Amino acid sequence: QPEKERIAIRAAQMVKNGDTVFIDAGTTAFAIAKAISHLERLTIITNDLFTASQLQLKPTSTLMVTGGMRRGGNFQELVGAVAEEFIHAAHADIAFLGVDGIDWMGNVCIANFDEMGVKRAMLHSATQKVIVADHGKIGHAALVRICYLKDADCLITDDGISTDSLRKLKKVGNDIILA
């Protein structure tokens, strides 16, 4: 999807050589991982088996996979206490978190409880916290709140967002970056 690629390119501009980066599971997160893979001396920490198996990094970079239980169904993400403890023990310069919805009250939401602990651990253990969501997820709630938008340093979304939606988000969030 072109929106996710634009979000990934914009997110990649926030990462520099030598950074440690949390990349969670999902298509936007994978696009971000690909967009930063050319950098040197990166440490990428992910709970996404697909990202881990597909990503090609520079020889000076390191890829770490959290461990944990594989989420049921067709999902390729690792969740649970082991994944959460791994993340809590680490520190990242920046975390990129994909979500299923952001409502007008600033609730940043996902659709299931399985991912909640991992995403919250990434938020807690990163210096810079970045939410990534295409415009189709804006204005919609989902089952589980992982944080409030104001708890993140910024939201990166695509330029398909309406002016009205952007105005509403600016009332409940910090920096809103259009890709």
Side-chain angles (χ1 to χ4, degrees):
Q1 294 176 327
E3 297 93 359
K4 293 181 182 202
E5 294 300 323
R6 288 196 309 272
I7 290 169
I9 291 166
R10 181 59 186 91
Q13 295 171 2
M14 302 174 80
V15 180
K16 62 187 182 310
N17 290 328
D19 277 353
T20 297
V21 183
F22 286 136
I23 302 277
D24 76 344
T27 53
T28 305
F30 178 62
I32 294 168
K34 287 192 310 186
I36 64 173
S37 65
H38 69 283
L39 294 172
E40 299 281 347
R41 301 177 325 281
L42 282 182
T43 299
I44 295 179
I45 302 172
T46 187
N47 67 318
D48 190 332
L49 294 172
F50 179 79
T51 295
S53 68
Q54 299 298 310
L55 194 59
Q56 299 293 317
L57 295 175
K58 293 284 187 182
T60 60
S61 292
T62 302
L63 174 66
M64 300 177 84
V65 181
T66 62
M69 295 184 314
R70 185 173 162 266
R71 191 171 152 217
N74 293 327
F75 296 100
Q76 295 295 314
E77 63 199 277
L78 299 172
V79 296
V82 172
E84 293 166 28
E85 285 302 313
F86 186 101
I87 294 162
H88 278 299
H91 174 267
D93 298 296
I94 190 166
F96 293 106
L97 299 176
V99 299
D100 296 317
I102 303 170
D103 68 19
W104 301 130
M105 293 181 293
N107 293 301
V108 178
C109 305
I110 56 175
N112 68 79
F113 282 96
D114 292 340
E115 298 175 82
M116 178 183 69
V118 167
K119 288 183 185 279
R120 286 183 175 173
M122 287 183 179
L123 286 168
H124 176 78
S125 298
T127 301
Q128 192 171 11
K129 302 145 181 52
V130 180
I131 305 297
V132 293
D134 65 68
H135 74 275
K137 296 178 181 175
I138 306 300
H140 303 285
L143 179 64
V144 182
R145 183 186 70 237
I146 58 165
C147 68
Y148 294 104
L149 191 55
K150 66 181 178 197
D151 297 329
D153 294 294
C154 67
L155 163 69
I156 303 176
T157 190
D158 64 274
D159 59 10
I161 189 171
S162 72
T163 305
D164 184 53
S165 293
L166 188 58
R167 180 184 52 76
K168 289 178 183 176
L169 277 182
K170 286 182 177 180
K171 289 181 180 178
V172 295
N174 291 322
D175 195 13
I176 313 296
I177 299 172
L178 298 182

